[in-house]
Amino acid sequence: MRLNTLTIPEKLFGVNTNMMTVFIPLVGIIIVAVVGYNIFLAPKIDDISKMQSDLKSVETKSKSVLEKTRYLQSIDPEELKKNSDFISNALLPQQNAYLLVSVVRSVADKFGFQVESFLISPGKLEKVVTEVKKSGKNIPRIPISVSLVGPKNSFLDLIKGLERNLPVLSVDSFKMTNIGTMAKLDLEISAFYLEDNNTYDINKLTLSDLTLLKEETDLVTTLGEYSISLDVNAKDNSGTNKVYRKYDRIDPFSL
Amino acid sequence: MSIMNLNLLPSKAKFQAAKIKLKTQVNKIAIGLVAAWVVACAIVLGVNFFIKYKLANAVVQNKKIQENYTGLQSNILVSQKLKYKAKMVGGVLASRFEYGKAFEMIENMFPEVITLDDYDLKEDGTFRIDGTTKTREGVDLVENTIESINSDKNKALTGASLTSLKNFKGVWSFTIVVTLK
């Protein structure tokens, strides 16, 4: 057999070479099919598996967001706001030791005690933090030393009043001296403040991050039994509501 | 031997017949292959189109759900602040020692004939308590109370000891030290 200039033997591997030409279209089809698979079908199959994984991811995301949405829709926003505002009363809105003295004074007044003296150490305020159990985070606290004088038989009510007060106070040290029917209490009291500068990426929050735990709702109930002697979150206390007033006085001590 | 099995065609004609037969078979295989390829293409394209359609729908649905969720942003922020503050306040309440409860418990342990006058809290969790009683029985009651504290019947107090006892003009003054758990 002669194929142009190439001379092919009559038989290859015992098969007549003329007979082999029959397989040429089949081989061509197989080559086209293999090439077509690699060029056309394989990318489409890859696309399918990629789209399937995307679909699964979108569906999972949708399901998670839907669960969060349903949970949030089930909460009464007014109740939530009320509870959040209420919990805010448990902490001082700012690092203000004088505000703490006012709080202690208002509690003391209720039980017939008077603030005889108080001591604030400004240098101390910057450093004092308390590690909060469970969360492991530190919460800044404001310590003051205060001497209270009042009826001896009301001292226990005063201590309980201080410990059942909002903002939450912690009695760090205690000394009581009796002067007849009167008692003098030398206390070191701390209050806690929190500047909530946290930013929340709402898309990263999970349903469990959003769900209010029983202990958190129980805390609101517990704090409900506490009394608010002084509304520290009132605008008048924070000074935000005050309007600037200019006094054109030459003598600053004159009225 | 049957006469029908005899092939009297010349060898070239035989070869051509075999070639035609083989070609027919090869063509059948080729058609089968092409058909399989076309079917495979159709299936892959169909599945591809179906999943693409499903994905597009899911993305649209997800966008709607996400918009609903974002619409609740203010609630989410309030809820997160509430949780954060609750965690902190809860931690503070768990960390602090409540003296009111301790004093109440100590007062309740002593009968009315005994008057507790001065309390002094030491840093290591011990109270020094000064008290008075007008009777000898009162002193016995003080001792009994200390004994009951030390006998581990009390859950909040570790121990107590009488550190001083004196009698002046018929009034017994005593000092006890109570250690909190």
Side-chain angles (χ1 to χ4, degrees):
Chain A
M1 188 185 173
R2 199 173 167 80
L3 201 66
N4 293 332
T5 54
L6 186 71
T7 308
I8 298 169
E10 279 299 307
K11 283 194 174 185
L12 268 177
F13 308 114
V15 181
N16 195 313
T17 44
N18 206 359
M19 196 69 101
M20 278 185 167
T21 55
V22 173
F23 292 98
I24 289 171
L26 184 62
V27 171
I29 286 171
I30 289 171
I31 290 168
V32 168
V34 169
V35 171
Y37 174 82
N38 285 322
I39 292 172
F40 181 70
L41 274 189
K44 291 280 174 197
I45 291 168
D46 285 347
D47 277 357
I48 288 171
S49 49
K50 192 178 170 294
M51 281 192 295
Q52 261 180 330
S53 105
D54 286 352
L55 181 66
K56 203 175 173 185
S57 151
V58 170
E59 280 176 346
T60 312
K61 204 173 162 191
S62 294
K63 196 182 165 192
S64 150
V65 177
L66 195 64
E67 278 174 352
K68 290 193 280 185
T69 309
R70 279 185 188 146
Y71 171 74
L72 288 165
Q73 282 169 340
S74 71
I75 304 173
D76 180 1
E78 283 178 18
E79 184 75 14
L80 188 71
K81 177 87 173 59
K82 203 176 105 188
N83 288 344
S84 177
D85 290 345
F86 184 67
I87 288 233
S88 296
N89 288 320
L91 301 162
L92 286 181
Q94 51 189 307
Q95 192 183 22
N96 186 340
Y98 295 99
L99 189 56
L100 174 57
V101 174
S102 304
V103 172
V104 173
R105 180 174 280 132
S106 66
V107 178
D109 282 349
K110 274 208 259 180
F111 300 99
F113 276 78
Q114 286 185 331
V115 176
E116 192 185 59
S117 64
F118 64 86
L119 175 68
I120 298 164
S121 309
K124 225 175 160 185
L125 296 181
E126 296 298 321
K127 298 167 195 166
V128 181
V129 288
T130 294
E131 191 178 318
V132 170
K133 279 185 185 171
K134 297 175 199 170
S135 68
K137 288 185 180 173
N138 287 334
I139 179 165
R141 65 189 176 99
I142 306 166
I144 57 162
S145 301
V146 62
S147 290
L148 303 170
V149 177
K152 186 182 144 188
N153 53 7
S154 298
F155 101 91
L156 191 56
D157 293 331
L158 171 72
I159 296 295
K160 286 202 282 190
L162 288 168
E163 288 177 342
R164 289 281 177 277
N165 181 70
L166 293 180
V168 170
L169 302 173
S170 171
V171 179
D172 304 320
S173 123
F174 176 93
K175 187 178 179 183
M176 185 175 104
T177 319
N178 283 323
I179 315 155
T181 57
M182 303 297 277
K184 184 184 173 194
L185 304 177
D186 294 311
L187 307 172
E188 272 184 27
I189 298 175
S190 297
F192 304 86
Y193 79 97
L194 203 58
E195 284 169 357
D196 189 10
N197 297 327
N198 290 352
T199 49
Y200 303 100
D201 182 352
I202 64 164
N203 293 316
K204 282 185 183 167
L205 296 170
T206 62
L207 181 62
S208 60
D209 289 333
L210 291 172
T211 310
L212 285 175
L213 303 173
K214 191 181 174 294
E215 54 199 61
E216 287 158 356
T217 47
D218 284 352
L219 180 70
V220 177
T221 315
T222 307
L223 294 181
E225 292 162 11
Y226 285 39
S227 57
I228 302 171
S229 55
L230 184 73
D231 187 0
V232 289
N233 287 308
K235 285 186 175 175
D236 284 341
N237 287 319
S238 65
T240 49
N241 208 24
K242 286 179 184 169
V243 178
Y244 173 70
R245 193 173 156 192
K246 190 179 178 184
Y247 293 93
D248 291 320
R249 293 185 193 129
I250 298 164
D251 177 5
F253 301 103
S254 68
L255 287 173
Chain B
M1 186 185 241
S2 169
I3 199 162
M4 294 301 286
N5 288 338
L6 280 174
N7 192 343
L8 300 173
L9 284 169
S11 64
K12 196 154 191 179
K14 277 185 203 170
F15 175 79
Q16 283 304 322
K19 193 178 172 184
I20 289 165
K21 197 179 171 188
L22 183 66
K23 202 172 183 179
T24 314
Q25 282 174 341
V26 167
N27 282 348
K28 277 182 187 171
I29 293 169
I31 289 166
L33 270 177
V34 170
W37 206 89
V38 169
V39 169
C41 269
I43 290 171
V44 168
L45 284 177
V47 171
N48 189 293
F49 177 77
F50 177 70
I51 291 183
K52 199 179 267 182
Y53 173 77
K54 238 180 138 182
L55 180 63
N57 267 355
V59 168
V60 170
Q61 192 69 21
N62 180 264
K63 202 178 167 191
K64 277 184 194 168
I65 292 169
Q66 193 68 42
E67 277 170 6
N68 273 350
Y69 176 67
T70 315
L72 296 164
Q73 189 171 14
S74 59
N75 281 8
I76 298 168
L77 293 179
V78 173
S79 151
Q80 287 308 293
K81 284 183 180 178
L82 169 65
K83 280 176 77 73
Y84 180 59
K85 285 179 182 172
K87 197 183 221 178
M88 288 300 183
V89 174
V92 166
L93 292 182
S95 306
R96 73 173 184 172
F97 181 79
E98 292 196 14
Y99 292 98
K101 275 185 188 170
F103 291 148
E104 197 170 39
M105 189 184 64
I106 291 168
E107 287 221 330
N108 289 339
M109 288 179 76
F110 291 92
E112 281 183 13
V113 289
I114 299 160
T115 311
L116 301 178
D117 298 315
D118 293 349
Y119 287 83
D120 189 4
L121 173 72
K122 304 290 180 190
E123 278 188 7
D124 57 355
T126 57
F127 282 106
R128 189 180 62 78
I129 303 166
D130 296 331
T132 52
T133 180
K134 286 175 182 168
T135 60
R136 182 70 186 88
E137 288 74 27
V139 176
D140 291 341
L141 286 170
V142 170
E143 285 173 346
N144 289 343
T145 307
I146 290 169
E147 203 176 313
S148 91
I149 292 170
N150 290 332
S151 63
D152 205 21
K153 283 178 187 167
N154 196 291
K155 286 177 184 174
L157 305 174
T158 305
S161 60
L162 186 65
T163 56
S164 83
L165 179 67
K166 59 186 174 188
N167 187 304
F168 182 68
K169 291 182 181 175
V171 178
W172 294 86
S173 305
F174 61 88
T175 301
I176 55 172
V177 174
V178 177
T179 311
L180 302 167
K181 271 190 181 166

